[in-house]
């Protein structure tokens, strides 16, 4: 077992799943594969039209613009790591999901932290791109409600 694999095995924020590792602290599906000194980090998030309720319709032009914006914004994902080498993320639509994948170098001592930073960046970027005014499916609405609650409790704490 390599030092990088050992790091993932000992991490509290990842669990082994087959030949990959999955974060245990995130809302969407993500995997990290280790091979040849690199980490392949893959994150699946819903498209905008898949995030809304069945009663909602997202116009194609809105969906396309939303996806283009997401693609531009996640291009910076490798910058949140300590990796010396990183590939630009690929962003592809796969049915009701958007699959974001990037390959970064696996630096022992920072590999799990770097992988989690990429996953968090992609999820956060996706969340920031949610467009107000739509009715969202329950799991997405729950994320929005939790974020609003944190924002309000943070604002209250700032006033103290």
């Amino acid at each position: 077992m390599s030092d990088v694999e050992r790091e993932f095995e000992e991490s509290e924020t990842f669990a082994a799943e087959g030949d990959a590792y999955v974060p245990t602290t995130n809302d969407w599906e993500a995997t990290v594969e280790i091979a040849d000194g690199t980490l392949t980090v893959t994150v699946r998030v819903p498209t905008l039209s898949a995030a809304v309720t069945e009663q909602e319709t997202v116009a194609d032009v809105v969906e396309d613009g939303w996806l283009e914006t997401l693609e531009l914004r996640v291009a910076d994902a490798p910058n949140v790591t300590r990796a010396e080498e990183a590939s630009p993320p690929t962003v592809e639509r796969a049915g009701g999901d958007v699959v974001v994948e990037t390959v970064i170098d696996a630096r022992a001592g920072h590999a799990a932290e770097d992988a989690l930073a990429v996953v968090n960046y992609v999820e956060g970027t996706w969340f920031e791109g949610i467009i107000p005014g739509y009715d969202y499916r329950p799991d997405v609405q729950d994320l929005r409600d939790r974020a609003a609650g944190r924002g309000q409790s943070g604002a209250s704490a700032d006033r103290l």
Side-chain angles (χ1 to χ4, degrees):
M1 178 180 293
S2 73
D3 289 344
V4 170
E5 290 169 321
R6 188 171 295 104
E7 184 179 335
F8 277 87
E9 289 289 333
E10 294 173 358
S11 172
E12 293 180 12
T13 57
F14 283 93
E17 189 172 287
D19 293 338
Y21 294 90
V22 297
T24 59
T25 58
N26 294 80
D27 295 301
W28 305 116
E29 180 184 333
T31 59
V32 179
E33 296 176 343
I34 304 167
D36 302 322
T38 63
L39 305 175
T40 301
V41 182
T42 306
V43 184
R44 297 178 81 88
V45 293
T47 61
L48 184 60
S49 57
V52 299
T53 63
E54 291 179 14
Q55 295 77 27
E56 285 284 356
T57 301
V58 177
D60 289 343
V61 67
V62 174
E63 182 82 37
D64 292 343
W66 174 86
L67 184 60
E68 182 179 322
T69 300
L70 179 67
E71 186 173 0
L72 291 169
R73 293 185 69 212
V74 298
D76 290 332
N79 295 339
V80 300
T81 72
R82 295 179 182 172
E84 292 179 13
E85 304 259 343
S87 69
T90 60
V91 179
E92 296 181 5
R93 194 180 326 206
D97 289 334
V98 176
V99 181
V100 179
E101 184 174 282
T102 192
V103 178
I104 60 175
D105 66 331
R107 299 182 63 208
H110 301 290
E113 182 181 294
D114 284 348
L116 189 60
V118 169
V119 172
N120 288 340
Y121 185 86
V122 171
E123 285 192 0
T125 301
W126 173 87
F127 185 75
E128 288 175 353
I130 292 295
I131 299 172
Y134 288 101
D135 288 325
Y136 289 96
R137 61 185 210 208
D139 58 339
V140 175
Q141 188 59 48
D142 181 54
L143 290 172
R144 296 182 79 220
D145 292 345
R146 286 189 302 179
R150 284 187 193 129
Q152 289 177 357
S153 66
S156 297
D158 289 343
R159 286 185 226 137
L160 296 177

